[in-house]
């Protein structure tokens, strides 16, 4: 039976009712990785919660760093919408710790920022190779079900 027949949409929650609460981020050293992103974003690391070391983003969402030492860590992408007034301070923090930032997600434009959607943005790697992004403007909303032919979609390479 197709998914939409198993789970009818009559009881769907509105988009405003669904919020991300936390996400687990694998790290070889949870303390190093959590302290790194907290320092760059100007945040603090919270007390450990079981095997997790949370970084509170201040919007009800935490990044819960989880140590995974014996297996390779698959790089993920995390994008942070940051205030205009703090963007350049974050770039300065990256420069201060010797981390290269890029204007693009493929990391082909080192030391550059982008100016997408009327704001500023940059990409950089965390200690585990996760592709982090800071941006001051988010992409325009895409219609539900937007795909590769949708002009608001960006192909992933």
């Amino acid at each position: 039976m197709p998914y939409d027949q198993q789970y009818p949409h009559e009881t769907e929650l509105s988009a405003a009712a669904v919020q991300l609460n936390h996400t687990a981020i694998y790290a070889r050293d949870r303390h190093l990785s959590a302290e790194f992103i907290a320092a760059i974003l100007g945040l603090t690391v919270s007390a450990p919660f079981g095997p997790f070391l949370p970084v509170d983003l201040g919007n009800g969402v935490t990044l819960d760093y989880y140590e995974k030492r014996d297996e390779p860590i698959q790089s993920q992408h995390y994008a942070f919408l940051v205030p205009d007034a703090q963007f350049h301070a974050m770039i300065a923090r990256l420069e201060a710790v010797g981390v290269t930032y890029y204007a693009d997600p493929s990391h082909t434009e080192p030391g550059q920022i982008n100016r997408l959607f009327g704001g500023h943005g940059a990409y950089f790697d965390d200690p585990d190779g996760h592709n982090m992004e800071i941006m001051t403007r988010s992409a325009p909303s895409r219609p539900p079900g937007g795909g590769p032919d949708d002009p608001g979609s960006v192909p992933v390479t």
Side-chain angles (χ1 to χ4, degrees):
M1 178 181 291
Y3 181 84
D4 61 343
Q5 289 177 359
Q6 290 179 29
Y7 303 97
H9 298 292
E10 289 102 32
T11 60
E12 279 187 14
L13 295 172
S14 72
V18 178
Q19 297 179 17
L20 180 65
N21 177 266
H22 67 275
T23 190
I25 300 179
Y26 291 134
R28 284 181 286 283
D29 179 335
R30 68 182 185 159
H31 293 280
L32 175 69
S33 295
E35 290 290 345
F36 170 80
I37 198 63
I40 299 305
L41 298 179
L43 303 171
T44 57
V45 176
S46 299
F49 181 73
F52 301 104
L53 190 58
V55 175
D56 188 337
L57 298 178
N59 60 354
V61 178
T62 59
L63 304 177
D64 293 344
Y65 281 87
Y66 181 81
E67 218 155 273
K68 185 176 175 182
R69 291 183 177 214
D70 299 329
E71 300 173 45
I73 293 175
Q74 175 67 45
S75 176
Q76 300 293 320
H77 172 68
Y78 300 93
F80 304 96
L81 187 59
V82 301
D84 281 305
Q86 295 179 23
F87 180 83
H88 291 289
M90 292 175 189
I91 293 295
R93 289 184 203 116
L94 288 167
E95 291 172 340
V97 296
V99 173
T100 303
Y101 57 90
Y102 303 84
D104 62 310
S106 298
H107 294 194
T108 63
E109 300 176 56
Q112 302 294 314
I113 63 172
N114 66 56
R115 290 173 175 74
L116 296 174
F117 318 115
H120 299 95
Y123 298 82
F124 57 96
D125 283 339
D126 84 341
D128 295 291
H130 295 300
N131 192 10
M132 304 302 202
E133 177 183 5
I134 52 175
M135 60 185 171
T136 61
R137 300 282 186 285
S138 59
S141 295
R142 297 181 198 137
D149 297 327
D150 172 7
S153 294
V154 177
V156 177
T157 56

